[in-house]
Structures are given as structure tokens and as C-alpha cells.
């Protein structure tokens, strides 16, 4: 598992990308994502997920505009300052609809609901300005064994006028029969708490969903989270990463790689302790429980 063996992101390969016109609508796709998990419905033709291989499917959007108002709303939720360039994690917002379109495609073998985001690695080659139009491409690759089932990577690239400016590897787990001999996940340097504690409100998942389009029910309300096995709603992993990056962003170079592993869920409302320390080539950072020290997120940055 993990995608940290190289400083270069894996480039999408294979079949030519299928062009998606306009922005995919997140809520209808989330409904399609939920249907395979509904008892009775999940076995129906056209809804049932089956197969053992990832499809050779890549999706791309051309000339994607960046909405400065949306960037500002995202920055406010995640703690970034308002600037002429978008936050380092923001292009994930431009790709989320493509990710959902791939995972809800009839050729995709796993239900999207219940798939666990384990790791995320972003390489920013240069900051992206809010006035640029970009090309966003995504595909799923590298299905492989894991101790708790199988994992795969969702690969994303963002180009501006032909220049590769941003890329991302999100690693997802589909629980099932595991393989104890499978490689372990990425490891990160320790970053003990430094006294900074964030109190997170109950509506944080709904606020982040409003700007990200990720309305997965585990993030919204106690009732919807309990239906999927959580005691109450949990924070989005990509919010947790973004909030950490926001704490470090004025110390990061323009060309930088930021990698994280998501550990224990952050229950809402709740509190998390932020930690960071400098490394020779960047920073290590973490989120932990202020009471127990249980890990929620571990990560690091590297200048390119």
C-alpha cells in the first residue's frame, strides 16, 4: 500500500481518456454510489458491483474554470488565507466529480460507499492561480493485496496550457479477504503535539461537504453515520489534510510534495491536537487525540 516510494507521482496510462463535458453532478452520483450498499437493491442488474479488476477507464475535463468565490469558501472552511493562488489541496475539488464518476461507473468492481481512504499524496509543481483554466484527468490503477482486503490508487493530473502543474495519488481500501504478506502502508517521522488544539464543530462535515461535493453520509449527521457503523459523524480525511497544510503553507516552497496517511476517524464534534517539526527536506506533521494521543493523521512535506 502507499504511493511514497518515489518523489514522482504515477502518470495515468492506458486507454485515451473519455472527455467529460461540464462538471459532474455530485449528488446524483452519490445516490448511485449508495445503491449497491442497500439490501435487496445491491443485487439488481445494473446496480450490482462485481468483477475483480479495475477498468481501463480514464476521465478528463478540458478548460475547467476556477471560481474565485468557491476557492474563497474552501479556504475559509479549511483555514487557508485568501490569495491569488489556490490552496495546495484545492485542485482535489476539481477532480472529486471525476473520482465519483469512475467509482460509480458500471465497469468499476467495488461500491464507492464503504471504500476507505487510506493515504493521499499531492505534488504541486507550481502554484495554480485562480484565473487559470486547467485540464483535469483521473483514472484508477494498481489494484493490489492488503492485509485487510485490497487497495487501489486513484491517480489525478492537472495541466495548464499543456504544463503539468499538480498531481495526486489517493489510495483506497476495499475491505475483504486480506493477505498478511502484503506490504504495509507508508510510514512517517514522528511529529509530537505542540500545544495547538482545534475544537471541531458538529457541522464541520456538512460545511466541508457544501464546498467539496462529498456528501458521504458518514460525514453528515449522527443518524446517517450510525447507519454505516460509526458512533457519530466523522470529519473528511481531505479536510484534515487541508487544515494541516494550511498551518504550514507559509513555510512550504512553491514546488512541494505533501503525503499523509489517515489513521483513526475524527469524530464530530471533537478536538484534535496538531503537531509539526522541521525535517532536513521539509516538515513532519500529525493530528492526534488530545486526551489519548491516538493518531488521526500522519504526514510529511518534501521540497522538490
Amino acid at each position: 500500500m502507499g504511493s511514497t516510494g518515489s518523489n514522482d507521482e504515477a502518470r495515468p496510462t492506458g486507454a485515451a481518456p473519455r472527455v467529460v463535458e461540464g462538471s459532474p453532478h455530485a449528488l446524483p452520483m452519490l445516490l448511485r454510489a449508495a445503491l449497491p450498499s442497500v439490501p435487496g437493491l445491491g443485487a439488481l442488474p445494473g446496480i450490482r458491483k462485481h468483477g475483480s479488476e479495475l477498468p481501463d477507464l480514464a476521465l478528463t475535463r478540458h478548460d475547467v474554470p476556477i471560481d474565485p468565490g468557491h476557492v474563497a469558501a474552501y479556504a475559509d472552511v479549511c483555514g487557508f488565507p485568501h490569495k491569488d493562488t489556490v490552496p495546495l489541496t484545492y485542485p482535489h475539488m476539481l477532480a472529486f466529480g471525476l473520482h465519483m464518476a469512475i467509482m460509480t461507473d458500471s465497469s468499476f468492481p467495488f461500491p464507492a460507499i464503504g471504500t476507505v481512504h487510506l493515504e493521499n499524496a499531492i505534488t504541486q509543481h507550481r502554484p495554480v492561480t485562480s484565473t487559470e483554466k486547467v485540464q483535469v484527468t483521473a483514472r484508477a490503477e494498481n489494484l493490489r493485496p492488503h492485509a485487510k482486503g485490497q487497495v487501489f490508487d486513484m491517480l489525478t493530473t492537472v495541466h495548464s496550457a499543456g504544463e503539468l502543474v499538480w498531481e495526486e495519488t489517493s489510495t483506497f481500501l476495499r475491505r475483504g479477504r486480506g493477505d498478511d504478506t502484503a506490504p504495509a502502508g507508508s510510514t512517517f517521522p514522528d511529529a509530537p503535539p505542540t500545544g495547538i488544539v482545534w475544537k471541531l464543530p458538529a457541522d464541520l462535515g456538512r460545511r466541508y461537504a457544501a464546498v467539496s461535493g462529498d456528501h458521504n453520509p458518514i460525514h453528515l449527521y449522527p443518524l446517517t453515520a450510525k447507519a454505516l457503523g460509526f458512533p457519530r459523524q466523522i470529519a473528511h480525511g481531505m479536510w484534515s489534510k487541508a487544515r494541516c497544510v494550511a498551518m504550514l503553507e507559509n513555510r512550504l516552497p512553491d514546488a512541494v510534495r505533501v503525503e499523509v496517511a489517515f489513521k483513526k476517524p475524527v469524530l464530530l464534534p471533537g478536538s484534535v491536537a496538531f503537531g509539526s517539526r522541521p525535517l532536513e527536506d521539509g516538515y513532519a506533521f500529525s493530528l492526534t487525540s488530545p486526551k489519548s494521543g491516538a493518531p488521526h493523521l500522519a504526514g510529511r512535506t518534501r521540497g522538490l
Side-chain angles (χ1 to χ4, degrees), residues 72-287:
Y74 175 84
D76 290 343
V77 170
C78 299
F80 288 98
H82 290 198
K83 300 168 69 173
D84 292 337
T85 55
V86 306
L88 181 145
T89 49
Y90 178 80
H92 180 82
M93 302 294 97
L94 306 178
F96 177 72
L98 296 181
H99 296 173
M100 288 302 300
I102 290 171
M103 287 196 279
T104 57
D105 191 87
S106 60
S107 65
F108 197 79
F110 311 123
I113 298 297
T115 299
V116 181
H117 197 176
L118 289 185
E119 299 189 7
N120 181 271
I122 290 173
T123 298
Q124 176 181 274
H125 296 282
R126 68 157 174 82
V128 178
T129 69
S130 57
T131 58
E132 293 183 67
K133 287 188 176 182
V134 296
Q135 174 185 308
V136 184
T137 302
R139 71 181 299 123
E141 282 193 354
N142 197 17
L143 182 65
R144 57 204 185 274
H146 181 270
K148 296 182 179 179
Q150 292 178 291
V151 292
F152 64 91
D153 296 327
M154 188 69 74
L155 308 179
T156 304
T157 57
V158 176
H159 290 77
S160 178
E163 175 193 5
L164 179 65
V165 293
W166 189 94
E167 46 192 328
E168 174 188 56
T169 299
S170 290
T171 301
F172 292 95
L173 167 68
R174 190 65 204 175
R175 295 185 187 275
R177 179 178 297 177
D179 181 350
D180 292 336
T181 66
S186 301
T187 58
F188 297 91
D190 291 335
T194 53
I196 298 172
V197 175
W198 298 323
K199 294 184 178 180
L200 310 181
D203 69 346
L204 176 61
R206 300 191 291 276
R207 291 172 55 208
Y208 184 79
V211 298
S212 69
D214 185 353
H215 295 269
N216 188 324
I218 62 175
H219 303 302
L220 303 182
Y221 299 97
L223 186 63
T224 57
K226 286 178 181 178
L228 294 168
F230 294 89
R232 59 184 190 271
Q233 67 269 36
I234 64 173
H236 293 74
M238 287 304 293
W239 177 88
S240 299
K241 178 172 183 173
R243 187 67 186 90
C244 291
V245 173
M247 284 294 293
L248 298 170
E249 68 101 29
N250 62 349
R251 290 174 271 175
L252 300 181
D254 286 347
V256 65
R257 180 177 173 88
V258 184
E259 305 162 293
V260 300
F262 303 113
K263 306 292 187 178
K264 295 181 180 295
V266 177
L267 297 175
L268 300 173
S271 297
V272 290
F274 174 76
S276 68
R277 68 179 180 90
L279 303 172
E280 184 176 340
D281 58 350
Y283 288 86
F285 58 93
S286 67
L287 288 181

Side-chain angles (χ1 to χ4, degrees), residues 2-17:
S3 51
T4 58
S6 167
N7 284 340
D8 297 321
E9 296 284 353
R11 269 46 169 195
T13 57

